[in-house]
Amino acid sequence: MDAAEGIVGEFAALKRESGADVLAMQVGDFYEFFGEDAELVCRELDLKLTSKSSGGESYAMAGVPLSELEPYLQALVERGYRVAVADQIDEDGDHSRELTRVVSPGTLLATTDAEARYLATVVKETDRYGVALADVTTGQFWVTGVGGDVGDLLAELARFGPVEVLPGPDLREDEAALETLRGDLDATLTLHEASAFAPGAAAHRLREQFGDGAVESVGLEDAAPAVRAAGAALDYVETTGAGVLASFTRLQRYRDREHVALDATTQRNLELTETMAGDREGSLLATIDETVTSPGRRRLGEWLARPRRDRERIATRLEAVEALSSSALARERLREELSEAADLARLASKATHGSADAPDLLRVRDALAVLPAAEAVVEDDATLADSPLAEILRRPDREAAAALCEQLGAALAEDPPASLSEGGLIARGYDPDLDEIVERHEAALEWIDGLADRVSRELGLTHVSVDRNATDGYYVQVGNSEADQVPERFREIKSLKNHVRFVTEELEEREREILRLEEERAERERELFEAIRTDVATHAGLLQAAGRAIATVDALAALATHAAEQGWVRPELGPAGGPIEIERGRHPVVETTTTFVPNDAALGNDRRFLIVTGPNMSGKSTYMRQTALIVLLAQVGSFVPADAAEIGLVDGIYTRVGALDELAQGRSTFMVEMQELANILHSATEESLVILDEVGRGTATYDGISIAWAATEYLHNEVGAKTLFATHYHELTTLADHLDRVANVHVAAEETDGEVTFLRTVREGPTDRSYGIHVADLAGVPEPVVDRSSVVLDRLREEKAIEARGGGGDSEPRQVVFDVGSGELKTASADGGRGTAALGGDGASGSEESRQSSDTVDGSAESGIDPETAAVLEELTDVDVTETPPVDLLAKVQEWQESLEE
């Protein structure tokens, strides 16, 4: 298409200039797409594909009317495309087109859901990242620094879920980091001009946007990577033509130590805002979301993704939740008032963009009116009045909010049209000049309305009407039977089957007057409305502050509502790293879907590591997740699902729960498991909470046990984090006898006449069985397989030989045993004991070797064992496996192997 001429050639040139994925170019009354762009939009949006000839070639073409572009544009951007828009400019009869904006996922202003749409910019500097996060739909603008590796960066970005990421110049050179971001974030990666990340230019942009002292006020230096990221974000928003820079009124910095560390894996495993399957329904947010406003829903989601470590901030939220939960009637009145509030932050962005219409500004007025109404509800209830709610509602400038609310009420008509050209936007009495125009217009219309009666009386006619259409303008219509009775001043303009239409000079003059007045009125109303909208835009900070107050109260009321409905309690906050004591705790999501068996959890200074054993499907994972979620909810500032809870504040929650293959990234299940474990061992501290659900299950038995054992020792001895570790390696339960702060608990089950009942109750001590075959039966595994499994399991437990059944034909069954040391099935010896030949080797040879080695271990001469082997066997008999650390034991085994190989 690059060689195309005419309109298609112009399209191709503008597309190259834009650097966007798709170009929408105005051609008259349509936005057109050509070539591959046309094929793409037809495929994505189900448009009709046509063709356009240019220079002897035919090109695919599609188009949408001017007035219908926005929903199509929104749909494309929400699918991850960057869409450029080229508008047509008409001057002196000539047409030209120029790029007016590029809409990307991070600069899309129009959105239909309540979720934030963050644009993230990231600057890499040695071992630290600078991050800026901007939401053009709400005016939020955050900066922070992230230490560590790309995993730490990913964890921080995952809290916000950006829809678009701009990597800085240095980060672009790190292909491994970019691949990680592409693979783990549901975001578009966009390369912006490197010059926008330069320290001087970035700092200058921040001062222009937020004021001369903005950078210093948040404790940053000009060259800080966070400043470079923030400046680039502002530059990108301006370059794309989003037109919402004015909505960024506050530069806010946060530090990672202010919030509980939640890496991306933990956020996914705990299903905070969406389930493992990617659905919102079934997540913690969906379960506790009792909000009545879109900003409140966003605020609640932010709190879940970023729990606090600040004891005072948490306590303030808990006080508000407690007041609201205890004052049910006042709480419901408050929520009813809040439900009238529109999304002020997004309305502020629309006002600064210049796209807010009259109904939008009325929504601003009505939302501002919610503040005093909500404050009145709080003041009328003694409990609420003494809570932090009163202070939250006083944070916005109430006088300024009241003044703007009053101004909008006085300025705007009650039911204005969305279009600026229709008239009827401005209320009577707001502008004298407009009132005069309206009065003259109404007088002219009144003259028109009475014309039919006057003509009828004057001429004695019975079939007379006055009407207006686009072709004839105003006219007098008379029935055919009376048409010859009208005087000469009536000039005929059209004859119909049953009527004749006439005009008079006076009517034509009145029509010209009406058209002139309508034009004057539309122009004056446009001027007034744009001035009002500009004034609202200058109050963007006020609207955002009011919106934050409404969102915060709504989120607190939602937490209180859910707590009251579900019987949750206020947690007691302990010191950082202090004990976690939960009495009859419940899983906040699962308890809403089934009858739930509550359980206690106790992790203290002398009991910091719980090894959790029990049958498959008994509830081990649920028990551990509910403990993590109760701690998280407490540090959000929420009540918790328990009879009582004392929560020592944690600095991070880390989980390793199950794993999925990530073969596209070259990572198997076991590799993912080990990477998650490595992250925990590197990142957790003595003030962290660690949840491990099966470690080492994806490899050979002894390898897995060794890794799980060593990880337990490391977490206990070196890290000191409070840990719950669910495992089917029952060998690990012996660690409780040797490590001071390790304890065993198990999820109980009862077996009666071969039937197993899961009690879901967590009890002290270890279990010795997993009931895996019972679970296989429940899952629908064929009965012959289940029955055979039971037989094999019994033989293994009794260390007896198993008959390995062949696949048919003349193959003979062979007696085999499972050798735990090697993890292999071996041919049984003649007496049914352990043999040495591997299954599948030569049977006779195996039997002979078995006979030769079955007599004694000490008499090397009699048994044919060489002295080196005999020495190894002697050392082996002297080793106390229970007292030897796993690492030392593995080193000893390697030493023996090397000795035997020589």
Side-chain angles (χ1 to χ4, degrees), residues 330-667:
R331 181 182 73 239
E332 290 310 307
R333 288 200 302 275
L334 180 61
R335 296 176 73 226
E336 185 177 346
E337 295 290 352
L338 294 175
S339 68
E340 299 297 320
D343 196 331
L344 279 171
R346 287 192 166 163
L347 289 171
S349 287
K350 291 186 72 174
T352 60
H353 179 259
S355 59
D357 55 26
D360 285 332
L361 298 193
L362 278 186
R363 284 190 281 271
V364 170
R365 178 200 67 181
D366 295 342
L368 290 174
V370 166
L371 282 175
E375 194 172 1
V377 173
V378 170
E379 290 175 350
D380 288 345
D381 184 272
T383 302
L384 298 188
D386 289 338
S387 76
L389 294 168
E391 188 275 330
I392 292 170
L393 289 171
R394 284 196 295 267
R395 289 174 188 170
D397 185 335
R398 289 174 294 168
E399 290 185 3
L404 182 57
C405 181
E406 183 179 353
Q407 176 192 346
L408 292 174
L412 298 172
E414 265 315 308
D415 188 21
S419 170
L420 300 188
S421 60
E422 291 184 30
L425 297 173
I426 306 299
R428 296 289 285 270
Y430 179 72
D431 180 72
D433 292 340
L434 177 62
D435 287 347
E436 180 185 352
I437 294 171
V438 171
E439 287 172 4
R440 290 165 55 199
H441 182 255
E442 289 177 346
L445 290 178
E446 188 176 346
W447 184 91
I448 294 288
D449 290 340
L451 179 59
D453 287 340
R454 291 196 300 273
V455 169
S456 181
R457 288 196 304 270
E458 177 186 347
L459 303 179
L461 304 177
T462 56
H463 300 291
V464 180
S465 62
V466 175
D467 210 340
R468 180 185 189 184
N469 62 35
T471 303
D472 302 325
Y474 281 106
Y475 56 83
V476 177
Q477 185 166 277
V478 179
N480 278 341
S481 61
E482 299 177 316
D484 57 355
Q485 299 180 34
V486 301
E488 290 184 359
R489 71 174 188 273
F490 283 74
R491 188 176 77 254
E492 181 180 330
I493 61 172
K494 184 175 289 184
S495 179
L496 305 175
K497 180 179 179 181
N498 298 314
H499 302 88
V500 179
R501 292 177 180 174
F502 301 90
V503 296
T504 66
E505 290 185 4
E506 187 177 18
L507 178 57
E508 289 177 323
E509 177 59 34
R510 291 286 183 172
E511 180 177 10
R512 286 191 291 271
E513 180 184 9
I514 289 171
L515 292 174
R516 186 176 63 254
L517 291 171
E518 286 176 348
E519 186 176 332
E520 290 179 11
R521 177 178 182 176
E523 183 61 28
R524 183 59 181 163
E525 287 202 337
R526 180 188 294 274
E527 291 175 0
L528 292 170
F529 177 79
E530 289 180 347
I532 295 166
R533 183 168 61 192
T534 299
D535 190 38
V536 171
T538 63
H539 288 85
L542 171 65
L543 301 191
Q544 291 164 353
R548 285 192 297 272
I550 291 170
T552 300
V553 174
D554 187 21
L556 292 168
L559 292 175
T561 300
H562 193 78
E565 291 174 351
Q566 297 297 324
W568 291 11
V569 299
R570 176 173 178 169
E572 295 296 325
L573 300 179
I580 294 173
E581 300 281 349
I582 300 170
E583 182 180 328
R584 292 178 61 80
R586 309 183 301 277
H587 192 291
V589 178
V590 179
E591 73 165 346
T592 64
T593 62
T594 187
T595 302
F596 196 86
V597 178
N599 283 296
D600 299 344
L603 290 161
N605 292 330
D606 57 352
R607 179 188 166 100
R608 299 184 71 80
F609 198 113
L610 296 185
I611 296 177
V612 185
T613 52
N616 299 98
M617 288 181 57
S618 61
K620 299 188 300 299
S621 180
T622 299
Y623 171 68
M624 295 193 302
R625 292 189 203 207
Q626 80 184 38
T627 302
L629 288 172
I630 287 172
V631 172
L632 182 143
L633 284 166
Q635 295 195 221
V636 163
S638 168
F639 279 24
V640 298
D643 285 1
E646 177 185 348
I647 306 298
L649 299 183
V650 302
D651 63 2
I653 299 175
Y654 300 92
T655 67
R656 205 228 69 74
V657 182
L660 299 173
D661 278 319
E662 296 184 10
L663 299 179
Q665 284 78 44
R667 301 190 293 176

Side-chain angles (χ1 to χ4, degrees), residues 140-164:
Q140 291 275 7
F141 199 98
W142 296 93
V143 293
T144 192
V146 179
D149 58 16
V150 70
D152 299 303
L153 171 64
L154 181 64
E156 198 57 40
L157 292 177
R159 294 177 185 270
F160 293 85
V163 294
E164 185 173 11

Side-chain angles (χ1 to χ4, degrees), residues 706-744:
S706 300
I707 293 169
W709 187 298
T712 298
E713 288 182 338
Y714 189 83
L715 283 166
H716 178 274
N717 299 332
E718 304 297 330
V719 179
K722 290 186 281 290
T723 304
L724 290 94
F725 183 5
T727 183
H728 286 291
Y729 290 140
H730 297 152
E731 295 85 349
L732 297 183
T733 61
T734 61
L735 285 169
D737 299 328
H738 306 286
L739 300 178
D740 294 338
R741 291 168 294 174
V742 173
N744 285 304

Side-chain angles (χ1 to χ4, degrees), residues 248-321:
F248 296 131
T249 61
R250 290 202 309 164
L251 175 63
Q252 301 176 83
R253 181 187 183 189
Y254 74 93
R255 295 168 176 82
D256 51 8
R257 64 176 177 268
E258 296 173 355
H259 301 97
V260 175
L262 296 173
D263 60 27
T265 299
T266 297
Q267 294 181 55
R268 182 181 68 246
N269 287 340
L270 294 183
E271 300 183 311
L272 299 183
T273 57
E274 61 179 28
T275 66
M276 298 280 275
D279 300 323
R280 185 180 187 276
E281 194 63 34
S283 67
L284 178 62
L285 175 59
T287 301
I288 68 173
D289 183 10
E290 305 284 351
T291 58
V292 294
T293 70
S294 295
R297 190 172 304 115
R298 280 199 305 275
R299 180 57 53 91
L300 185 58
E302 291 168 2
W303 287 355
L304 291 180
R306 302 166 65 204
R308 303 291 306 194
R309 293 171 59 184
D310 180 353
R311 182 189 183 88
E312 183 177 346
R313 182 76 65 91
I314 298 169
T316 298
R317 289 181 187 172
L318 286 172
E319 288 173 21
V321 172

